[in-house]
Amino acid sequence: EAEIDAIKLSDDRDKICAYTKYGQLTVWDLANQKKCLEVDVKQLISTTVDIDEIAFVGSDRLAIADTKKLLIFDLENNEKSDVTLEVEFIPHGFPSEVLTDSEGKYIVMIFHDAVSVLDSDTYEELWYYDSPEDMETMYSLSSIYKDNKVVFAEETTDDAGEYIYIHMVDMLTGEVIRELEVPNGLISEMEASADSLFVVRNADVSEVTSLFDVIGDAEVCCYDLESGKLRWQYTAKEEFINSIVIPYKDYDCFLIESYG
């Protein structure tokens, strides 16, 4: 009975989650159109939650981030929509995003300056990446890449200059496998597909007079995830890109949406 603000599909496309701007969440099984879960999130969590802090764990569980814990809901046998389990995690702060791999084996949380990975069976922390003192995690975790690798970005804050570093990290060990250096700019979004990483860079906020009168250009940069090299760059003149949609099948196009 409220406007739907966002939706999310499970990786196997069996279930869909709808989330309203007032904090009401509903999950349906798409095959039989059965309602699996109905929760008023604002009654459970004191802070605001958006769709990035909600994740399917496989197809049979849903995780919602609270300030110092994850709320786990069983989607297979939970007629009362009760919280099945509350998972306390090391209080690195409040996670801005929660993700899982396609098989639901791991739960990934990104914080202001850290990344934490949990085993989804035991909910134990497998590893924890903390930014060095001269680095500050600024940008959202992109996605879980094939072979259980995770991609996120950091920005240096030292006096030598500002660079954006994109890290590919092994999900099981926390080891940095590859590092991409991106020219300085306002990174608004990152998305990984099968073999590419798409990075959206907008003009600096200080140079934007309004979202409809932008001074500066926006860019979409495509990097090869295996080599780390720039494949191509698309420039949107005097635009501020709001979002990017990368098809996860063999399509030869992508969609960007700008304000106005």
Side-chain angles (χ1 to χ4, degrees), residues 7 19 35 76 106 116 193 218:
I7 62 172
Y19 192 53
K35 191 179 293 184
E76 299 302 318
Y106 310 102
S116 174
S193 65

Side-chain angles (χ1 to χ4, degrees), residues 33-81:
Q33 299 182 28
K34 178 184 176 182
K35 191 179 293 184
C36 306
L37 187 70
E38 194 168 21
V39 175
D40 189 344
V41 176
K42 66 179 182 296
Q43 297 295 325
L44 297 174
I45 299 174
S46 56
T47 185
T48 57
V49 174
D50 63 32
I51 196 71
D52 289 335
E53 295 150 27
I54 299 169
F56 283 100
V57 183
S59 185
D60 59 351
R61 287 169 290 170
L62 191 78
I64 302 177
D66 200 346
T67 50
K68 292 185 179 180
K69 60 188 175 184
L70 285 176
L71 304 181
I72 307 296
F73 295 86
D74 186 351
L75 300 178
E76 299 302 318
N77 186 24
N78 194 359
E79 294 181 1
K80 296 183 179 180
S81 293

Side-chain angles (χ1 to χ4, degrees), residues 3-234:
E3 179 182 346
I4 293 176
D5 189 56
I7 62 172
K8 180 171 285 190
L9 285 167
S10 61
D11 279 331
D12 59 11
R13 303 299 192 259
D14 283 350
K15 293 183 174 65
I16 189 169
C17 168
Y19 192 53
T20 77
K21 61 169 55 180
Y22 301 112
Q24 295 150 327
L25 180 147
T26 308
V27 177
W28 287 274
D29 185 303
L30 290 174
N32 56 27
Q33 299 182 28
K34 178 184 176 182
K35 191 179 293 184
C36 306
L37 187 70
E38 194 168 21
V39 175
D40 189 344
V41 176
K42 66 179 182 296
Q43 297 295 325
L44 297 174
I45 299 174
S46 56
T47 185
T48 57
V49 174
D50 63 32
I51 196 71
D52 289 335
E53 295 150 27
I54 299 169
F56 283 100
V57 183
S59 185
D60 59 351
R61 287 169 290 170
L62 191 78
I64 302 177
D66 200 346
T67 50
K68 292 185 179 180
K69 60 188 175 184
L70 285 176
L71 304 181
I72 307 296
F73 295 86
D74 186 351
L75 300 178
E76 299 302 318
N77 186 24
N78 194 359
E79 294 181 1
K80 296 183 179 180
S81 293
D82 292 331
V83 177
T84 309
L85 186 66
E86 294 188 8
V87 181
E88 299 284 341
F89 52 76
I90 299 173
H92 308 303
F94 182 65
S96 60
E97 190 162 358
V98 179
L99 285 178
T100 57
D101 62 299
S102 59
E103 297 178 359
K105 292 182 178 180
Y106 310 102
I107 299 174
V108 184
M109 296 182 290
I110 188 167
F111 302 86
H112 174 65
D113 57 358
V115 177
S116 174
V117 175
L118 307 181
D119 183 301
S120 69
D121 290 328
T122 64
Y123 298 104
E124 294 180 359
E125 188 172 58
L126 297 176
W127 59 266
Y128 167 66
Y129 179 90
D130 193 7
S131 297
E133 292 184 1
D134 61 345
M135 304 282 283
E136 184 176 0
T137 302
M138 297 292 291
Y139 311 118
S140 175
L141 196 97
S142 165
S143 59
I144 295 170
Y145 176 56
K146 65 181 181 181
D147 300 326
N148 290 326
K149 297 179 180 63
V150 112
V151 181
F152 61 97
E154 295 185 320
E155 180 183 24
T156 61
T157 55
D158 57 15
D159 296 332
E162 294 187 355
Y163 300 95
I164 298 159
Y165 293 100
I166 298 172
H167 297 309
M168 183 184 294
V169 178
D170 188 293
M171 177 81 77
L172 300 179
T173 65
E175 176 188 359
V176 177
I177 299 169
R178 190 167 293 107
E179 184 176 87
L180 287 70
E181 185 175 297
V182 179
N184 186 31
L186 176 63
I187 301 295
S188 301
E189 192 167 0
M190 296 196 310
E191 284 291 340
S193 65
D195 59 358
S196 301
L197 180 70
F198 300 85
V199 180
V200 177
R201 296 173 63 239
N202 279 301
D204 191 274
V205 176
S206 61
E207 299 177 2
V208 177
T209 56
S210 77
L211 292 177
F212 297 99
D213 184 21
V214 177
I215 301 173
D217 303 329
E219 296 171 343
V220 178
C221 300
C222 177
Y223 294 89
D224 185 303
L225 274 176
E226 295 299 328
S227 66
K229 294 182 179 179
L230 179 68
R231 282 180 168 168
W232 51 260
Q233 178 177 306
Y234 169 78

